[in-house]
Amino acid sequence: MRVTMRVDGADTAADIDRPGESLLATLRDRLALTGTKNACEQGECGSCTVLLDGDPVCACLVATAQCEGREVRTVVGAVPRAVRDAFLTCGAVQCGFCTPGLLVTVADLLEREADPSDLRIREALAGNLCRCTGYEKIIEAVHVAAAASVSGAEEARATDATAWPEAATTPAVDAPAPDSVAPSAAAPPATERTGDARPSAGEPQ
Amino acid sequence: MTAPVPATTTAPADFEFHRPADTAEALRLLAQRPETVPIAGGTDLMVAVNYRHTRPAAMLDLTGLAELRQWTDEGASIRIGAGVPYARIVAELATVLPSLAAASRTVGSPQIRNRGTLGGNLATASPAGDGHPPLLATGACVEIASLEGTRTVDAADFYTGPKRSVLEPGELVTAVTVPKAAGPQQFLKVGTRNAMVIAVCSLAVSLDLDRRRLGTGIGSAGPTPLRAPEAEQIDLPWAAPSRLDDALLIEFGRRVAAAARPIDDVRSTAEYRRHALAVCAARALRRVWTAAHERSA
């Protein structure tokens, strides 16, 4: 049975040979996309976390055949640079096995909530187990990534504001004022969220 | 990029995976081949598949059925489609169904709550399922469909044994109708951490001030989720709320613990489960009573 889906922005087909084959097995064993890690295969550890139509899920608990026409983003396509950099800077990686799943979960958290509290971070990461770090440095990395994303957005806003240098002095009917540009600039552009030059995928449904 | 498709060296295996467009088609497929295994969030089924405890030759995907993935306001109650994931119950129904939303928030992890559904919890019918106690405490009804039509079963009559229910071959759980909260509700769950834990025991309590009714639902402390009818009949000081004292709370806890039928297993002992339920019950009753009193004051 052939299943077609978008994986990290690319149209992808996989031939599966049993109805219960997991998305995790398909990604790793058929598509050779080994960024998504296999640890427990029972949804306990979060190592295989991917975004399915934008929501974090355990790839081991999704049947590949359920993904026909749907959008999958792995650690390769779901994680902004600020999140990866923060994990490195803070030493939030030790053995690294849980890292891809954590990166995907953190990327999703920060997209929904720009500056989450410790409590929110702990709840959002409750499904990602790490046996090395004791989590403190991971939580620190989330704060660092959040701060970097905010300052990155401010830089983008400043850049956008200078794109209309005449706006302050010449109110034009059609030209947006700098302030009205800010909300869209605060959200990272979709192209920045993909890890490479592939075209970004559209919103689900 | 188009990923390479590995050439299959063997002939395609003989298997079926159905993606019906609506419930009627799903029921037809299920009637034709009753051994077909329905899958929604997959949070129970895929574990069994991954560990080779089951190897279904045919599966039926319920996640494409739009009618199962919505909830509707029915006035006095909320009808929740069997395919609404827990994450949406938490995000969208916490005000009207507080104990079910609280229980949903304790299910697994965010990843599990994005996939797992109330319908799956019911179809699996594990006595430890977190969704069950609030359904019992609030008097919810389960909607079951087959080619013969639709029938409705009280949650209290749905469970028949460990991982067994009244669900017959060819039937699907399509929705759950849960009465809106008519007063404060509580859901308490005992486990080793706040996430990714199968309950040692759990308890839902709902209070209806107008009808002067108390509802209970016990989880993970018996062969099925259970109500505690004698605890629900406890004589509460409705007319003089300040007279709810420790003795009454302890008696309520005793009656809840007495209604449980726990066993010793890997997660706990029967003795501890009874003890914990008594503590949880007293705490839950004090909380709902205090909240109701504050609210009406």
Side-chain angles (χ1 to χ4, degrees):
Chain A
M1 179 184 193
R2 174 160 293 198
V3 179
T4 56
M5 51 196 167
R6 273 182 90 73
V7 181
D8 292 329
D11 290 328
T12 304
D15 286 323
I16 60 172
D17 60 11
R18 59 192 174 97
E21 176 166 320
S22 72
L23 177 60
L24 175 63
T26 304
L27 288 172
R28 290 184 58 86
D29 303 339
R30 296 195 190 277
L31 302 172
L33 299 173
T34 52
T36 306
K37 299 305 174 202
N38 177 7
C40 76
E41 284 194 283
Q42 52 181 316
E44 292 275 347
C45 75
S47 298
C48 67
T49 302
V50 298
L51 302 184
L52 179 61
D53 285 349
D55 291 324
V57 302
C58 293
C60 69
L61 299 184
V62 177
T64 303
Q66 293 181 294
C67 299
E68 176 67 37
R70 302 184 69 179
E71 196 213 2
V72 178
R73 279 188 291 164
T74 75
V75 65
V76 173
V79 186
R81 176 162 291 279
V83 176
R84 279 180 289 166
D85 289 351
F87 268 65
L88 288 175
T89 312
C90 299
V93 179
Q94 283 189 34
C95 90
F97 200 84
C98 68
T99 307
L102 273 161
L103 287 171
V104 172
T105 305
V106 170
D108 174 73
L109 169 65
L110 291 179
E111 187 165 290
R112 289 166 204 269
E113 218 169 315
D115 186 21
S117 64
D118 274 8
L119 205 62
R120 281 289 302 128
I121 296 170
R122 283 172 191 275
E123 185 170 3
L125 302 191
N128 292 81
L129 299 185
C130 171
R131 304 308 302 269
C132 308
T133 62
Y135 301 101
E136 288 302 325
K137 291 179 176 184
I138 293 169
I139 291 166
E140 189 189 328
V142 179
H143 288 303
V144 168
S149 304
V150 169
S151 63
E154 273 164 9
E155 264 170 46
R157 188 185 315 188
T159 311
D160 284 349
T162 58
W164 286 279
E166 73 280 22
T169 51
T170 317
V173 178
D174 294 322
D179 280 352
S180 70
V181 177
S184 60
T191 47
E192 277 183 19
R193 293 197 69 257
T194 55
D196 57 24
R198 286 178 209 163
S200 65
E203 284 304 303
Q205 289 156 10
Chain B
M1 181 197 84
T2 299
V5 178
T8 39
T9 50
T10 53
D14 177 28
F15 76 86
E16 295 173 27
F17 192 96
H18 302 287
R19 284 186 288 261
D22 54 38
T23 307
E25 189 190 348
L27 292 172
R28 257 196 319 275
L29 289 163
L30 209 52
Q32 281 162 11
R33 247 185 109 172
E35 72 276 18
T36 302
V37 181
I39 179 169
T43 54
D44 280 318
L45 176 64
M46 288 298 289
V47 177
V49 171
N50 290 343
Y51 281 75
R52 311 284 193 273
H53 296 316
T54 179
R55 205 181 168 95
M59 285 167 70
L60 180 69
D61 183 20
L62 302 176
T63 58
L65 306 182
E67 59 210 289
L68 298 192
R69 295 183 72 82
Q70 58 194 16
W71 59 264
T72 49
D73 190 329
E74 307 283 318
S77 59
I78 302 285
R79 181 182 178 276
I80 306 172
V84 175
Y86 287 112
R88 285 186 52 205
I89 295 175
V90 176
E92 298 164 25
L93 295 172
T95 313
V96 280
L97 306 176
S99 67
L100 181 62
S104 300
R105 194 173 168 187
T106 74
V107 173
S109 64
Q111 289 93 323
I112 303 299
R113 295 195 285 276
N114 282 335
R115 294 288 290 171
T117 64
L118 207 47
N121 222 203
L122 284 159
T124 300
S126 160
D130 295 313
H132 309 310
L135 300 184
L136 290 171
T138 56
C141 296
V142 183
E143 196 178 294
I144 299 168
S146 71
L147 274 191
E148 277 79 62
T150 300
R151 63 185 178 122
T152 303
V153 177
D154 284 347
D157 300 326
F158 180 81
Y159 317 102
T160 55
K163 300 200 173 183
R164 287 202 311 273
S165 71
V166 298
L167 207 59
E168 299 283 345
E171 288 187 323
L172 283 177
V173 175
T174 46
V176 185
T177 300
V178 188
K180 288 182 186 170
Q185 301 183 344
Q186 281 280 308
F187 176 79
L188 299 172
K189 174 175 168 179
V190 177
T192 45
R193 57 180 287 232
N194 279 339
M196 286 313 306
V197 85
I198 301 174
V200 163
C201 63
S202 62
L203 178 72
V205 169
S206 67
L207 184 66
D208 184 335
L209 277 183
D210 296 333
R211 293 192 186 80
R212 297 194 165 181
R213 236 174 12 210
L214 200 56
T216 56
I218 299 170
S220 217
T224 66
L226 297 164
R227 280 177 56 212
E230 285 185 19
E232 292 175 6
Q233 295 306 318
I234 197 167
D235 198 14
L236 290 170
W238 299 100
S242 61
R243 284 176 47 206
L244 184 83
D245 57 12
D246 285 353
L248 204 53
L249 293 173
I250 290 166
E251 172 59 13
F252 180 67
R254 193 195 63 75
R255 292 188 187 190
V256 167
R261 288 186 279 143
I263 55 168
D264 293 342
D265 67 10
V266 288
R267 290 197 300 281
S268 184
T269 61
E271 189 189 358
Y272 178 74
R273 286 183 158 112
R274 279 193 203 278
H275 169 77
L277 277 172
V279 173
C280 287
R283 191 173 295 171
L285 178 56
R286 180 168 41 73
R287 286 182 183 172
V288 294
W289 195 257
T290 305
H293 189 48
E294 280 169 354
R295 194 173 295 184
S296 58

